[in-house]
Amino acid sequence: MIWRKIYIGLAGCLPLLLFSSCIDDHFTDCARLSILYYMQQSDGDGAFSDTMSELDMSFYYAGNSRLAYRRFVPEEEMPADHIYRPVLPTERFDHLAIANFTPSSLAARGKDHRDYRIFHPEGADTIDVIETDVYVARKQLSVTHKEELIKVCLAPCVGKVRLHLNYDNAPEVLSTECFVGGIGSGFICYDSLFVHDRKLTMRMRDVGTDGHNLVMYESTSFPSRDRVVAASRNGVRSEDLWQLDAITKLEDKWIRTTVKFQSPLRAGECLDIYGVVNPGGDITIDALSLDVSISVSLEWKKGDDIEIEI
């Protein structure tokens, strides 16, 4: 009779055990969330990817920044509706999500979500483009037993530059390399703060021809500064925030065309620049709608400021 009572007691507790299986170390009840991730529509005619190739989601307790839940989701495991249903304690959280992060070109570190940053590793000052369009989201939320759909918007933390060149009148030009300078070196996710702690130059990628049969070079980078923070050597405040260099190679010399911008290169924006390569190798830039200054070096020598391969 005693054994029968014990069996009945355990059977009665079984549903409670099943539905209370998510208890954290503070003995807090848990609830299942429904989170919809979507990507912010950015500027540019298809310049930015609108798909996620991977998603890294983290939830930190709002009170002490302790990690409560983290999951990395590769593309093959992503739900078709982009709704994720993690089970978390009924607490307040700081949520951080990063999509399309590429370890091969960027690094990441941080003690917790407030310090977490993605950045270009130390090394050469001339770097290659960021391989994917990195998206980041942060959101404060409270987990309750109330059924609701939480929407999280992922925004790009990179900007793009596309240079379109017409070579019809420049048969003597053997090759061209293009560079973007004045870009950021990293991004602090929690503060949405871009870091400019060292001078970097990014080698643009030749992506073939555009819809008008112009040769197109493209960069994907962290943005430039959004304001001037330093004075020039002669004490006059410089208004140049970033620059683009196009170096063309002729048979016996290099020609360097430099475009300096007074307007910032921003995250989520794509700037299209058009130019005509002249027979002598210099480039005429269509600057009608740009706030720029342009200079040309007709006898440019290979130096330390840019590492060219041509």
Side-chain angles (χ1 to χ4, degrees):
M1 191 66 179
I2 294 176
W3 285 107
R4 184 172 181 272
K5 288 181 179 179
I6 293 175
Y7 175 80
I8 293 173
L10 289 173
C13 290
L14 185 58
L16 180 62
L17 292 172
L18 288 175
F19 290 100
S20 302
S21 59
C22 177
I23 304 293
D24 74 350
D25 54 0
H26 293 286
F27 302 98
T28 306
D29 289 334
C30 294
R32 185 178 296 278
L33 297 180
S34 294
I35 304 179
L36 170 64
Y37 293 96
Y38 66 99
M39 306 180 83
Q40 174 183 300
Q41 296 298 315
S42 52
D43 293 342
D45 51 343
F48 289 83
S49 171
D50 59 357
T51 59
M52 279 185 273
S53 60
E54 60 188 33
L55 179 65
D56 190 347
M57 60 177 79
S58 302
F59 296 83
Y60 297 83
Y61 289 101
N64 56 22
S65 298
R66 186 166 56 89
L67 181 64
Y69 176 91
R70 184 173 186 180
R71 182 187 175 194
F72 176 82
V73 186
E75 186 173 12
E76 59 271 17
E77 296 180 13
M78 289 183 172
D81 57 3
H82 296 293
I83 296 178
Y84 295 80
R85 296 175 173 83
V87 178
L88 291 169
T90 52
E91 299 274 355
R92 290 179 57 250
F93 293 96
D94 289 327
H95 174 42
L96 174 65
I98 303 176
N100 303 347
F101 176 72
T102 308
S104 60
S105 60
L106 294 173
R109 68 164 180 258
K111 296 177 296 184
D112 54 41
H113 66 297
R114 295 178 185 273
D115 185 55
Y116 195 84
R117 65 189 63 197
I118 53 182
F119 59 94
H120 290 287
E122 294 290 339
D125 294 331
T126 301
I127 59 176
D128 293 328
V129 300
I130 298 175
E131 297 172 15
T132 59
D133 300 336
V134 184
Y135 284 73
V136 175
R138 59 184 179 89
K139 188 179 183 70
Q140 294 182 327
L141 53 88
S142 296
V143 178
T144 67
H145 290 289
K146 179 182 177 181
E147 291 187 8
E148 62 176 325
L149 180 64
I150 300 173
K151 296 182 179 180
V152 175
C153 177
L154 291 152
C157 65
V158 294
K160 288 180 180 288
V161 178
R162 297 191 299 195
L163 176 63
H164 309 254
L165 293 182
N166 184 331
Y167 283 89
D168 289 348
N169 297 323
E172 302 300 319
V173 172
L174 302 178
S175 58
T176 303
E177 277 202 55
C178 302
F179 303 84
V180 172
I183 56 176
S185 59
F187 178 61
I188 302 174
C189 300
Y190 185 81
D191 295 323
S192 295
L193 179 66
F194 293 98
V195 180
H196 296 81
D197 59 356
R198 57 195 175 106
K199 184 179 179 180
L200 291 177
T201 301
M202 177 170 285
R203 180 180 291 106
M204 301 178 75
R205 178 170 51 193
D206 184 343
V207 294
T209 56
D210 63 11
H212 302 286
N213 205 33
L214 303 177
V215 178
M216 187 168 73
Y217 305 85
E218 182 182 72
S219 68
T220 301
S221 69
F222 293 123
S224 70
R225 299 181 187 274
D226 60 1
R227 66 183 187 280
V228 176
V229 296
S232 61
R233 291 181 180 178
N234 58 10
V236 178
R237 197 172 180 83
S238 172
E239 299 298 328
D240 298 328
L241 296 174
W242 62 284
Q243 72 181 52
L244 182 150
D245 287 282
I247 300 174
T248 53
K249 179 176 175 55
L250 279 68
E251 184 175 355
D252 57 349
K253 62 181 178 179
W254 289 279
I255 309 296
R256 176 176 177 173
T257 302
T258 299
V259 186
K260 295 186 177 182
F261 294 80
Q262 287 79 54
S263 298
L265 171 62
R266 301 184 187 278
E269 294 183 359
C270 177
L271 179 62
D272 285 283
I273 304 165
Y274 292 85
V276 175
V277 184
N278 298 312
D282 60 306
I283 300 173
T284 300
I285 299 293
D286 181 2
L288 186 62
S289 60
L290 302 175
D291 188 10
V292 300
S293 61
I294 302 172
S295 62
V296 176
S297 176
L298 297 177
E299 295 288 342
W300 183 75
K301 305 296 183 183
K302 294 175 66 174
D304 296 331
D305 57 338
I306 293 180
E307 298 176 12
I308 65 172
E309 296 180 347
I310 57 179

